[in-house]
Coordinates of all heavy atoms in Angstrom, one line a residue:
M103 N -2.4 -19.7 30.5 CA -1.0 -19.3 29.9 C -1.1 -18.4 28.9 O -2.0 -18.3 28.0 CB -0.4 -20.7 29.3 CG 0.9 -20.5 28.8 SD 1.6 -22.2 28.2 CE 1.6 -21.7 26.5
T104 N -0.2 -17.3 29.0 CA -0.2 -16.3 27.9 C 0.9 -16.6 26.8 O 1.9 -17.0 27.2 CB 0.0 -14.9 28.5 OG1 1.2 -14.9 29.2 CG2 -1.1 -14.6 29.5
T105 N 0.7 -16.4 25.6 CA 1.7 -16.4 24.6 C 1.9 -15.1 24.0 O 0.9 -14.3 23.8 CB 1.2 -17.5 23.5 OG1 -0.1 -17.1 23.0 CG2 1.1 -18.9 24.1
K106 N 3.2 -14.9 23.8 CA 3.6 -13.7 23.1 C 3.6 -13.9 21.5 O 4.1 -14.8 21.2 CB 5.0 -13.3 23.6 CG 5.3 -11.9 23.2 CD 6.7 -11.5 23.8 CE 7.0 -10.0 23.5 NZ 7.3 -9.7 22.1
E107 N 2.8 -13.1 21.0 CA 2.6 -13.2 19.4 C 4.0 -12.9 18.9 O 4.7 -11.9 19.0 CB 1.6 -12.3 19.1 CG 1.0 -12.7 17.7 CD -0.3 -11.9 17.4 OE1 -0.1 -10.7 16.9 OE2 -1.4 -12.3 17.6
K108 N 4.3 -13.8 17.8 CA 5.4 -13.6 17.1 C 5.3 -12.6 15.9 O 4.2 -12.4 15.3 CB 6.0 -15.0 16.5 CG 6.4 -16.0 17.6 CD 6.9 -17.2 16.8 CE 7.2 -18.3 17.9 NZ 7.6 -19.6 17.1
G109 N 6.3 -11.9 15.6 CA 6.3 -11.0 14.3 C 6.6 -11.9 13.2 O 7.0 -13.0 13.2
W110 N 6.6 -11.2 11.9 CA 6.7 -11.9 10.7 C 8.2 -12.6 10.6 O 8.4 -13.5 10.0 CB 6.4 -11.1 9.5 CG 7.2 -9.9 9.3 CD1 7.0 -8.6 9.9 CD2 8.4 -9.7 8.6 NE1 8.0 -7.7 9.6 CE2 8.9 -8.4 8.8 CE3 9.2 -10.6 7.8 CZ2 10.1 -7.9 8.1 CZ3 10.3 -10.1 7.2 CH2 10.8 -8.8 7.3
K111 N 9.1 -11.9 11.3 CA 10.6 -12.2 11.1 C 10.8 -13.6 11.9 O 11.8 -14.2 11.5 CB 11.5 -11.2 11.6 CG 11.7 -9.9 10.7 CD 12.6 -9.0 11.3 CE 12.7 -7.7 10.4 NZ 13.5 -6.7 10.9
Q112 N 9.9 -14.0 12.7 CA 10.1 -15.2 13.4 C 9.6 -16.3 12.9 O 9.6 -17.5 13.2 CB 9.5 -15.0 14.8 CG 10.3 -14.4 15.9 CD 10.1 -12.9 16.0 OE1 9.0 -12.4 15.9 NE2 11.2 -12.2 15.9
I113 N 8.8 -16.1 11.7 CA 8.2 -17.3 10.9 C 9.3 -18.0 10.2 O 10.1 -17.5 9.5 CB 7.2 -16.8 9.8 CG1 6.2 -16.0 10.6 CG2 6.5 -18.0 9.1 CD1 5.2 -15.3 9.6
S114 N 9.4 -19.2 10.5 CA 10.4 -20.0 9.9 C 10.3 -20.1 8.5 O 9.2 -20.1 7.9 CB 10.5 -21.5 10.5 OG 9.3 -22.1 10.4
M115 N 11.4 -20.4 7.8 CA 11.4 -20.6 6.2 C 10.4 -21.8 6.0 O 10.4 -22.8 6.6 CB 12.9 -21.1 5.8 CG 13.9 -20.0 6.0 SD 14.0 -19.1 4.5 CE 15.0 -20.1 3.6
A116 N 9.5 -21.4 4.9 CA 8.5 -22.5 4.5 C 7.4 -22.7 5.7 O 6.7 -23.6 5.6 CB 9.1 -23.7 4.0
G117 N 7.5 -21.8 6.7 CA 6.6 -22.0 7.8 C 5.2 -21.6 7.4 O 5.0 -20.8 6.4
V118 N 4.2 -22.1 8.1 CA 2.8 -21.5 7.8 C 2.5 -20.5 8.9 O 2.6 -20.8 10.0 CB 1.9 -22.8 8.0 CG1 0.4 -22.3 7.7 CG2 2.2 -23.8 6.9
C119 N 2.0 -19.4 8.4 CA 1.6 -18.3 9.2 C 0.4 -18.6 10.0 O -0.5 -19.3 9.4 CB 1.5 -17.0 8.4 SG 1.2 -15.6 9.5
W120 N 0.2 -18.3 11.3 CA -0.9 -18.6 12.0 C -2.0 -17.6 12.0 O -3.0 -17.8 12.6 CB -0.4 -18.9 13.5 CG 0.4 -17.7 13.9 CD1 -0.1 -16.6 14.4 CD2 1.7 -17.6 13.9 NE1 1.0 -15.7 14.8 CE2 2.2 -16.3 14.4 CE3 2.9 -18.4 13.2 CZ2 3.5 -15.9 14.4 CZ3 4.1 -18.0 13.3 CH2 4.4 -16.7 13.8
K121 N -1.8 -16.6 11.1 CA -3.1 -15.7 11.0 C -3.0 -15.1 9.6 O -1.9 -15.0 8.9 CB -3.0 -14.6 12.1 CG -1.8 -13.7 12.1 CD -2.0 -12.7 13.2 CE -0.9 -11.5 13.2 NZ -1.1 -10.7 14.2
P122 N -4.1 -14.7 9.2 CA -4.2 -14.1 7.8 C -3.3 -12.9 7.5 O -3.1 -12.1 8.5 CB -5.6 -13.9 7.5 CG -6.2 -13.8 8.7 CD -5.3 -14.5 9.7
S123 N -2.7 -12.7 6.3 CA -1.8 -11.7 6.1 C -2.6 -10.3 6.3 O -1.8 -9.3 6.5 CB -1.2 -11.8 4.6 OG -2.4 -11.7 3.7
T124 N -3.9 -10.3 6.1 CA -4.6 -9.0 6.3 C -4.5 -8.5 7.8 O -4.7 -7.3 8.0 CB -6.0 -9.2 6.0 OG1 -6.5 -10.3 6.7 CG2 -6.3 -9.4 4.5
Q125 N -4.1 -9.3 8.6 CA -3.8 -8.9 10.1 C -2.4 -8.4 10.3 O -2.2 -7.9 11.5 CB -4.2 -10.0 11.0 CG -5.6 -10.4 11.1 CD -6.0 -11.5 12.0 OE1 -5.4 -11.8 13.0 NE2 -7.1 -12.1 11.7
Y126 N -1.6 -8.5 9.4 CA -0.2 -7.9 9.5 C -0.3 -6.5 8.8 O -0.3 -6.4 7.5 CB 0.9 -8.8 8.9 CG 1.3 -9.9 9.8 CD1 0.9 -11.2 9.5 CD2 2.0 -9.7 10.9 CE1 1.2 -12.3 10.3 CE2 2.4 -10.7 11.7 CZ 1.9 -12.0 11.4 OH 2.2 -13.1 12.1
L127 N -0.3 -5.5 9.6 CA -0.3 -4.1 8.8 C 1.0 -3.8 8.5 O 1.9 -3.2 9.3 CB -1.0 -3.2 9.9 CG -2.4 -3.5 10.4 CD1 -2.9 -2.4 11.2 CD2 -3.3 -3.8 9.2
T128 N 1.4 -4.1 7.3 CA 2.7 -3.8 6.8 C 3.1 -2.4 6.3 O 4.1 -2.1 5.9 CB 3.1 -4.9 5.6 OG1 2.1 -4.8 4.8 CG2 3.3 -6.2 6.2
G129 N 2.1 -1.6 6.4 CA 2.3 -0.2 6.0 C 3.4 0.6 6.8 O 3.9 1.6 6.2
D130 N 3.8 0.1 7.9 CA 4.9 0.8 8.6 C 6.2 0.5 8.1 O 7.3 1.1 8.6 CB 4.7 0.6 10.2 CG 4.9 -0.8 10.6 OD1 5.0 -1.7 9.7 OD2 5.0 -1.1 11.8
W131 N 6.3 -0.3 7.1 CA 7.7 -0.6 6.5 C 8.1 0.5 5.7 O 9.3 0.8 5.4 CB 7.6 -1.8 5.6 CG 7.3 -3.1 6.2 CD1 6.9 -3.4 7.5 CD2 7.3 -4.3 5.6 NE1 6.7 -4.7 7.8 CE2 7.0 -5.3 6.6 CE3 7.6 -4.8 4.3 CZ2 6.9 -6.6 6.4 CZ3 7.5 -6.1 4.0 CH2 7.1 -7.1 5.0
K132 N 7.2 1.4 5.2 CA 7.6 2.4 4.2 C 8.3 3.5 4.6 O 8.2 4.1 5.7 CB 6.3 2.8 3.4 CG 5.3 3.6 4.1 CD 4.2 3.9 3.2 CE 3.0 4.4 3.9 NZ 2.3 3.3 4.7
T133 N 9.1 4.0 3.7 CA 10.0 5.2 3.9 C 9.3 6.3 3.1 O 9.1 7.4 3.4 CB 11.4 5.0 3.5 OG1 12.0 3.9 4.2 CG2 12.3 6.3 3.8
Y134 N 8.9 5.9 1.8 CA 8.3 6.8 0.9 C 6.8 6.5 0.8 O 6.4 5.3 0.9 CB 8.9 6.6 -0.5 CG 10.3 7.3 -0.6 CD1 11.5 6.6 -0.3 CD2 10.4 8.6 -1.0 CE1 12.7 7.1 -0.4 CE2 11.8 9.3 -1.0 CZ 12.8 8.5 -0.7 OH 14.1 9.0 -0.8
K135 N 6.1 7.6 0.5 CA 4.6 7.4 0.4 C 4.1 8.0 -0.9 O 4.4 9.0 -1.2 CB 4.0 8.2 1.6 CG 2.5 8.0 1.8 CD 2.1 8.8 3.1 CE 0.6 8.7 3.2 NZ 0.2 9.5 4.6
P136 N 3.2 7.2 -1.6 CA 2.7 7.8 -2.9 C 1.7 8.9 -2.6 O 0.8 8.8 -1.8 CB 2.0 6.5 -3.5 CG 1.5 5.7 -2.3 CD 2.6 5.9 -1.3
V137 N 1.9 10.0 -3.4 CA 1.0 11.1 -3.2 C 0.5 11.4 -4.6 O 1.2 11.5 -5.5 CB 1.8 12.3 -2.7 CG1 0.8 13.6 -2.7 CG2 2.4 12.1 -1.3
R138 N -0.8 11.4 -4.7 CA -1.6 11.5 -6.0 C -1.9 12.9 -6.3 O -2.5 13.6 -5.5 CB -2.7 10.6 -6.0 CG -3.6 10.6 -7.4 CD -4.6 9.6 -7.4 NE -5.5 9.7 -6.2 CZ -6.8 9.6 -6.4 NH1 -7.4 9.5 -7.6 NH2 -7.6 9.7 -5.3
D139 N -1.7 13.3 -7.5 CA -2.2 14.7 -8.1 C -3.6 14.5 -8.5 O -3.7 13.8 -9.6 CB -1.3 15.1 -9.1 CG -1.5 16.5 -9.7 OD1 -2.8 16.8 -9.6 OD2 -0.7 17.3 -10.1
L140 N -4.5 15.0 -7.9 CA -5.9 14.8 -8.2 C -6.4 15.3 -9.5 O -7.3 14.9 -10.2 CB -6.9 15.2 -7.1 CG -6.7 14.6 -5.8 CD1 -7.6 15.2 -4.7 CD2 -7.0 13.1 -5.9
E141 N -5.6 16.4 -9.9 CA -5.8 17.0 -11.2 C -5.4 16.2 -12.5 O -6.1 16.1 -13.5 CB -5.2 18.4 -11.3 CG -5.7 19.5 -10.3 CD -7.1 19.8 -10.4 OE1 -7.5 20.0 -11.5 OE2 -7.8 19.7 -9.4
K142 N -4.2 15.6 -12.3 CA -3.6 14.7 -13.4 C -4.3 13.4 -13.5 O -4.5 12.8 -14.5 CB -2.2 14.5 -13.0 CG -1.2 15.7 -13.4 CD 0.2 15.2 -13.2 CE 1.2 16.2 -13.4 NZ 2.5 15.8 -13.1
C143 N -4.9 12.8 -12.3 CA -5.3 11.5 -12.2 C -6.6 11.4 -13.0 O -7.6 12.1 -12.9 CB -5.6 11.0 -10.9 SG -6.3 9.4 -10.8
T144 N -6.7 10.4 -14.0 CA -7.9 10.2 -14.8 C -8.7 8.9 -14.2 O -9.7 8.5 -14.9 CB -7.6 10.0 -16.2 OG1 -6.6 8.7 -16.3 CG2 -6.8 11.1 -16.9
R145 N -8.3 8.4 -13.2 CA -9.0 7.2 -12.5 C -9.0 6.1 -13.5 O -10.1 5.3 -13.6 CB -10.5 7.6 -12.1 CG -10.6 8.4 -10.9 CD -10.2 9.8 -11.0 NE -10.4 10.6 -9.7 CZ -9.9 11.8 -9.7 NH1 -9.1 12.3 -10.6 NH2 -10.1 12.5 -8.6
C146 N -7.9 5.8 -14.2 CA -7.8 4.8 -15.2 C -7.7 3.4 -14.5 O -7.7 2.5 -15.1 CB -6.6 5.1 -16.1 SG -5.0 4.9 -15.3
V147 N -7.3 3.5 -13.2 CA -7.2 2.2 -12.3 C -6.0 1.3 -12.7 O -5.9 0.3 -12.1 CB -8.4 1.4 -12.1 CG1 -9.6 2.3 -11.6 CG2 -8.9 0.5 -13.4
L148 N -5.0 1.8 -13.5 CA -3.8 0.9 -13.7 C -3.1 0.7 -12.5 O -2.6 -0.3 -12.2 CB -3.0 1.7 -14.8 CG -3.0 1.1 -16.3 CD1 -2.1 1.9 -17.1 CD2 -3.0 -0.3 -16.4
C149 N -3.0 1.7 -11.6 CA -2.2 1.6 -10.5 C -2.8 0.6 -9.5 O -2.1 -0.2 -8.8 CB -2.1 2.9 -9.8 SG -3.7 3.7 -9.4
V150 N -4.1 0.5 -9.6 CA -4.9 -0.6 -8.7 C -4.3 -1.9 -9.1 O -4.1 -2.9 -8.3 CB -6.4 -0.3 -8.9 CG1 -7.2 -1.5 -8.2 CG2 -6.8 0.8 -8.5
L151 N -4.3 -2.2 -10.5 CA -3.8 -3.4 -11.1 C -2.3 -3.7 -10.7 O -2.1 -4.9 -10.5 CB -4.1 -3.5 -12.6 CG -5.6 -3.2 -12.9 CD1 -5.7 -3.2 -14.5 CD2 -6.5 -4.3 -12.5
F152 N -1.5 -2.7 -10.7 CA -0.1 -3.0 -10.6 C 0.3 -3.1 -9.0 O 1.3 -3.6 -8.8 CB 0.6 -1.9 -11.3 CG 1.0 -2.0 -12.7 CD1 0.2 -1.4 -13.6 CD2 1.9 -3.1 -13.1 CE1 0.4 -1.6 -15.0 CE2 2.1 -3.3 -14.4 CZ 1.3 -2.6 -15.4
C153 N -0.4 -2.5 -8.3 CA 0.1 -2.5 -6.8 C 0.2 -4.0 -6.3 O -0.8 -4.7 -6.3 CB -0.9 -1.8 -5.9 SG -0.4 -1.9 -4.1
P154 N 1.4 -4.4 -6.0 CA 1.6 -5.8 -5.5 C 1.0 -6.1 -4.1 O 0.9 -7.3 -3.8 CB 3.1 -5.9 -5.5 CG 3.6 -4.7 -5.2 CD 2.7 -3.6 -5.9
D155 N 0.5 -5.1 -3.5 CA -0.1 -5.4 -2.1 C -1.5 -5.1 -2.0 O -2.0 -5.2 -0.9 CB 0.7 -4.4 -1.1 CG 2.1 -5.0 -0.9 OD1 2.2 -6.1 -0.3 OD2 3.0 -4.3 -1.1
G156 N -2.1 -4.9 -3.1 CA -3.5 -4.6 -3.1 C -3.9 -3.5 -2.2 O -4.9 -3.3 -1.6
A157 N -2.9 -2.5 -2.2 CA -3.1 -1.3 -1.2 C -3.7 -0.1 -2.0 O -3.8 1.0 -1.5 CB -1.7 -1.0 -0.8
I158 N -4.2 -0.3 -3.2 CA -5.0 0.8 -3.9 C -6.3 0.1 -4.3 O -6.3 -0.9 -5.0 CB -4.2 1.4 -5.1 CG1 -2.8 1.7 -4.9 CG2 -5.1 2.7 -5.6 CD1 -2.1 2.1 -6.0
N159 N -7.4 0.7 -3.9 CA -8.7 0.1 -4.1 C -9.5 1.1 -4.9 O -9.5 2.3 -4.7 CB -9.4 -0.1 -2.8 CG -8.6 -1.2 -1.9 OD1 -8.2 -2.2 -2.4 ND2 -8.2 -0.7 -0.7
W160 N -10.4 0.5 -5.8 CA -11.4 1.3 -6.5 C -12.6 1.3 -5.6 O -13.2 0.4 -5.1 CB -11.7 0.5 -7.8 CG -12.9 1.3 -8.6 CD1 -14.1 0.8 -8.7 CD2 -12.8 2.6 -9.1 NE1 -14.8 1.6 -9.4 CE2 -14.2 2.8 -9.6 CE3 -11.8 3.6 -9.3 CZ2 -14.5 4.0 -10.3 CZ3 -12.2 4.7 -9.9 CH2 -13.5 4.9 -10.5
K161 N -13.1 2.6 -5.4 CA -14.2 2.8 -4.6 C -15.4 3.3 -5.5 O -15.5 4.5 -5.8 CB -13.9 3.9 -3.4 CG -12.9 3.5 -2.5 CD -13.4 2.5 -1.5 CE -12.4 1.9 -0.6 NZ -12.9 0.9 0.3
P162 N -16.3 2.3 -5.8 CA -17.5 2.8 -6.7 C -18.2 3.9 -6.2 O -18.7 4.7 -7.1 CB -18.2 1.5 -7.0 CG -17.6 0.6 -6.0 CD -16.5 0.9 -5.5
E163 N -18.4 3.8 -4.9 CA -19.4 4.9 -4.3 C -18.7 6.3 -4.4 O -19.4 7.3 -4.4 CB -19.7 4.5 -2.9 CG -18.5 4.7 -1.9 CD -17.6 3.5 -1.8 OE1 -17.7 2.6 -2.7 OE2 -16.8 3.4 -0.9
K164 N -17.5 6.4 -4.6 CA -16.6 7.6 -4.7 C -16.3 7.9 -6.3 O -15.8 9.0 -6.5 CB -15.5 7.7 -3.9 CG -15.7 7.7 -2.4 CD -14.4 7.8 -1.7 CE -14.7 7.8 -0.2 NZ -13.4 7.6 0.5
N165 N -16.4 6.8 -7.0 CA -16.0 6.9 -8.5 C -14.4 7.3 -8.4 O -14.1 8.1 -9.3 CB -16.8 7.8 -9.3 CG -16.6 7.6 -10.7 OD1 -16.5 6.5 -11.1 ND2 -16.8 8.6 -11.5
D166 N -13.8 6.7 -7.5 CA -12.3 7.1 -7.4 C -11.5 6.0 -6.8 O -12.1 5.0 -6.2 CB -12.3 8.3 -6.5 CG -11.0 9.2 -6.7 OD1 -10.1 8.8 -7.5 OD2 -10.9 10.3 -6.0
I167 N -10.2 6.1 -6.8 CA -9.3 5.1 -6.1 C -9.0 5.7 -4.8 O -9.3 6.9 -4.4 CB -8.1 4.9 -6.9 CG1 -7.3 6.2 -7.0 CG2 -8.2 4.3 -8.2 CD1 -5.8 6.0 -7.4
Q168 N -8.5 4.7 -3.9 CA -8.2 5.2 -2.6 C -6.9 4.3 -2.1 O -6.9 3.0 -2.3 CB -9.4 4.9 -1.7 CG -9.1 5.4 -0.2 CD -10.5 5.2 0.7 OE1 -11.4 5.9 0.3 NE2 -10.2 4.5 1.6
F169 N -5.9 4.8 -1.6 CA -4.8 4.2 -1.0 C -5.1 3.6 0.3 O -5.8 4.3 1.1 CB -3.6 5.2 -1.0 CG -3.1 5.5 -2.2 CD1 -3.5 6.6 -3.0 CD2 -2.1 4.8 -2.9 CE1 -2.8 7.1 -4.1 CE2 -1.5 5.1 -4.1 CZ -2.1 6.3 -4.7
D170 N -4.7 2.4 0.6 CA -4.8 1.9 2.0 C -3.4 1.8 2.6 O -2.7 0.9 2.4 CB -5.4 0.5 1.9 CG -5.6 0.0 3.3 OD1 -5.1 0.4 4.2 OD2 -6.4 -1.1 3.3
F171 N -3.1 2.9 3.4 CA -1.7 3.1 4.0 C -1.4 2.1 5.1 O -0.3 1.9 5.5 CB -1.5 4.4 4.4 CG -1.5 5.5 3.1 CD1 -2.5 6.4 2.9 CD2 -0.5 5.3 2.2 CE1 -2.5 7.1 1.7 CE2 -0.4 6.1 1.0 CZ -1.5 7.0 0.9
D172 N -2.4 1.2 5.4 CA -2.1 0.2 6.4 C -1.3 -0.9 5.7 O -0.6 -1.7 6.4 CB -3.4 -0.4 6.9 CG -4.1 0.4 8.0 OD1 -3.5 1.3 8.5 OD2 -5.3 0.2 8.3
F173 N -1.4 -0.9 4.4 CA -0.7 -2.0 3.6 C 0.3 -1.6 2.8 O 1.1 -2.3 2.1 CB -1.7 -3.0 3.0 CG -2.6 -3.7 4.0 CD1 -3.8 -3.2 4.3 CD2 -2.1 -4.8 4.8 CE1 -4.6 -3.8 5.3 CE2 -2.8 -5.5 5.7 CZ -4.1 -5.0 6.0
C174 N 0.3 -0.3 2.2 CA 1.2 0.2 1.2 C 2.6 0.2 1.9 O 2.8 0.7 3.0 CB 0.8 1.7 0.9 SG 2.1 2.5 0.0
K175 N 3.5 -0.4 1.0 CA 4.9 -0.6 1.6 C 5.9 0.6 1.0 O 7.1 0.5 1.2 CB 5.5 -2.0 1.3 CG 4.7 -3.0 2.0 CD 5.6 -4.4 1.8 CE 4.8 -5.6 2.4 NZ 3.8 -6.0 1.4
G176 N 5.3 1.3 0.1 CA 6.0 2.4 -0.5 C 7.0 2.0 -1.6 O 8.1 2.5 -1.7
C177 N 6.6 1.0 -2.3 CA 7.6 0.4 -3.3 C 7.7 1.3 -4.5 O 8.8 1.3 -5.2 CB 7.1 -1.0 -3.7 SG 5.4 -0.9 -4.6
G178 N 6.7 2.1 -4.8 CA 6.8 3.0 -5.9 C 6.4 2.5 -7.3 O 6.4 3.1 -8.3
I179 N 5.9 1.2 -7.3 CA 5.5 0.7 -8.5 C 4.4 1.4 -9.1 O 4.3 1.7 -10.3 CB 5.1 -0.8 -8.4 CG1 6.4 -1.6 -8.1 CG2 4.3 -1.3 -9.6 CD1 6.1 -3.1 -7.8
C180 N 3.4 1.9 -8.1 CA 2.2 2.7 -8.8 C 2.6 3.9 -9.4 O 2.4 4.3 -10.5 CB 1.2 2.9 -7.7 SG 2.0 3.8 -6.2
A181 N 3.7 4.6 -8.8 CA 4.2 5.9 -9.4 C 4.9 5.6 -10.8 O 4.8 6.3 -11.7 CB 5.1 6.5 -8.4
N182 N 5.6 4.4 -10.8 CA 6.3 4.1 -12.0 C 5.4 3.7 -13.1 O 5.7 4.0 -14.4 CB 7.3 2.9 -11.6 CG 8.3 2.8 -12.7 OD1 9.0 3.7 -13.0 ND2 8.4 1.5 -13.2
E183 N 4.3 3.0 -12.7 CA 3.4 2.6 -13.9 C 2.3 3.6 -14.2 O 1.7 3.5 -15.3 CB 2.6 1.3 -13.5 CG 3.6 0.1 -13.1 CD 4.4 -0.2 -14.5 OE1 3.9 0.0 -15.5 OE2 5.6 -0.7 -14.3
C184 N 2.0 4.6 -13.5 CA 1.0 5.7 -13.8 C 1.4 6.3 -15.1 O 2.4 6.9 -15.3 CB 0.8 6.7 -12.8 SG -0.3 8.0 -13.2
P185 N 0.5 6.2 -16.2 CA 0.8 6.7 -17.5 C 0.8 8.2 -17.5 O 1.3 8.8 -18.4 CB -0.3 6.2 -18.3 CG -1.4 5.8 -17.5 CD -0.8 5.4 -16.1
L186 N 0.2 8.8 -16.4 CA 0.1 10.3 -16.4 C 1.1 10.9 -15.4 O 1.0 12.1 -15.1 CB -1.3 10.7 -16.2 CG -2.2 10.3 -17.3 CD1 -3.6 10.2 -16.8 CD2 -2.0 11.3 -18.4
D187 N 1.9 10.2 -14.8 CA 3.0 10.6 -13.8 C 2.0 11.4 -12.7 O 2.5 12.5 -12.1 CB 3.9 11.6 -14.3 CG 5.0 10.8 -15.1 OD1 5.2 9.7 -14.8 OD2 5.5 11.4 -16.1
A188 N 0.9 10.8 -12.3 CA 0.1 11.5 -11.3 C 0.4 11.1 -9.9 O -0.2 11.7 -9.0 CB -1.4 11.2 -11.6
I189 N 1.3 10.2 -9.8 CA 1.8 9.7 -8.4 C 3.2 10.1 -8.3 O 4.1 9.7 -9.1 CB 1.6 8.2 -8.2 CG1 0.1 7.8 -8.4 CG2 2.0 7.9 -6.8 CD1 -0.2 6.5 -8.3
E190 N 3.4 10.8 -7.1 CA 4.9 11.2 -6.7 C 5.2 10.4 -5.4 O 4.3 10.5 -4.5 CB 5.0 12.7 -6.6 CG 6.3 13.1 -6.3 CD 6.5 14.7 -6.2 OE1 5.6 15.3 -6.5 OE2 7.4 15.2 -5.8
M191 N 6.3 9.8 -5.3 CA 6.7 9.3 -4.1 C 7.4 10.2 -3.2 O 8.5 10.9 -3.6 CB 7.8 8.1 -4.3 CG 7.0 7.0 -5.0 SD 5.5 6.2 -4.4 CE 6.1 5.3 -3.0
K192 N 7.0 10.5 -2.1 CA 7.5 11.5 -1.1 C 7.9 10.8 0.2 O 7.3 9.9 0.6 CB 6.5 12.6 -0.9 CG 6.2 13.5 -2.2 CD 5.4 14.8 -1.7 CE 5.3 15.8 -2.9 NZ 4.5 16.8 -2.6
L193 N 9.0 11.3 0.7 CA 9.4 10.8 2.1 C 8.2 11.1 2.9 O 7.5 12.0 3.1 CB 10.5 11.6 2.6 CG 11.9 11.3 2.2 CD1 13.0 12.3 2.7 CD2 12.3 9.9 2.6
E194 N 7.9 10.0 3.8 CA 6.7 10.0 4.5 C 6.6 11.2 5.6 O 5.5 11.8 5.6 CB 6.6 8.7 5.4 CG 5.2 8.5 5.9 CD 4.9 7.0 6.3 OE1 5.9 6.4 6.8 OE2 3.7 6.7 6.4
E195 N 7.7 11.6 6.1 CA 7.7 12.7 7.1 C 7.4 14.0 6.4 O 7.1 15.0 7.1 CB 9.0 12.7 7.9 CG 10.2 13.0 7.1 CD 11.0 11.7 7.0 OE1 10.4 10.6 6.9 OE2 12.3 11.7 6.8
E196 N 7.5 14.1 5.1 CA 7.2 15.3 4.4 C 5.8 15.3 4.0 O 5.3 16.4 3.2 CB 8.2 15.5 3.1 CG 9.5 15.6 3.5 CD 10.5 15.6 2.3 OE1 10.0 15.5 1.1 OE2 11.7 15.8 2.5
T197 N 4.9 14.3 4.1 CA 3.6 14.3 3.6 C 2.6 14.7 4.7 O 3.0 14.7 5.9 CB 3.2 12.9 3.0 OG1 3.2 12.0 4.1 CG2 4.1 12.6 1.9
Ligands
SF4_255 S1 -2.6 5.0 -12.7 FE1 -2.3 7.2 -12.4 S2 -4.1 8.1 -13.6 FE2 -4.5 6.0 -13.4 S3 -5.8 5.9 -11.5 FE3 -3.7 5.6 -10.8 S4 -3.0 7.6 -10.3 FE4 -4.7 7.9 -11.5
SF4_256 S1 3.8 2.4 -3.2 FE1 3.7 0.2 -3.8 S2 2.5 -0.7 -2.2 FE2 2.1 1.5 -2.1 S3 0.3 1.8 -3.3 FE3 2.1 2.1 -4.6 S4 2.4 0.1 -5.6 FE4 1.1 -0.2 -3.7

């Protein structure tokens, strides 16, 4: 028997999801995408702490942060919290 996998909208209220959230690539929800100015960014990692989706990661091997666009929903919190205005939210089709 084959089962058609349900999307997140079919999960009932207070229902338990049958697979980990890491398997739902929610990045396609976004309209706006964060674009970082590498000259302005001081790698302070505040945006890493503020991102509600864990979509910005610190990469020690690069000594830099990295966006994970598979999970970034384009909420703009990182841009709002960056103390140096190093992140600009741009329409995805313009990036
Ligand atoms: S908060 Fe701004 S300056 Fe700090 S790491 Fe993020 S983009 Fe760079
Ligand atoms: S736009 Fe929102 S989800 Fe995407 S990296 Fe910034 S804080 Fe995270």
Side-chain angles (χ1 to χ4, degrees):
M103 188 178 103
T104 58
T105 54
K106 190 169 183 299
E107 198 169 82
K108 293 178 181 177
W110 64 272
K111 287 182 179 173
Q112 279 86 47
I113 302 171
S114 58
M115 294 268 280
V118 176
C119 186
W120 48 89
K121 65 181 183 179
S123 60
T124 51
Q125 290 181 20
Y126 283 106
L127 305 184
T128 48
D130 62 354
W131 295 7
K132 67 177 158 300
T133 305
Y134 286 88
K135 186 176 180 181
V137 176
R138 182 169 55 128
D139 183 328
L140 298 177
E141 298 296 316
K142 283 186 182 174
C143 175
T144 58
R145 283 72 177 166
C146 72
V147 304
L148 261 184
C149 54
V150 175
L151 300 177
F152 275 105
C153 175
D155 285 296
I158 314 174
N159 302 304
W160 174 250
K161 296 288 178 186
E163 69 277 13
K164 295 180 178 172
N165 200 33
D166 202 356
I167 62 167
Q168 184 174 302
F169 289 93
D170 184 345
F171 292 112
D172 281 343
F173 296 100
C174 166
K175 297 191 185 82
C177 67
I179 291 175
C180 54
N182 198 52
E183 298 299 333
C184 174
L186 294 157
D187 288 330
I189 300 175
E190 186 182 347
M191 299 303 293
K192 291 193 172 176
L193 276 173
E194 197 169 21
E195 60 259 28
E196 291 176 0
T197 62

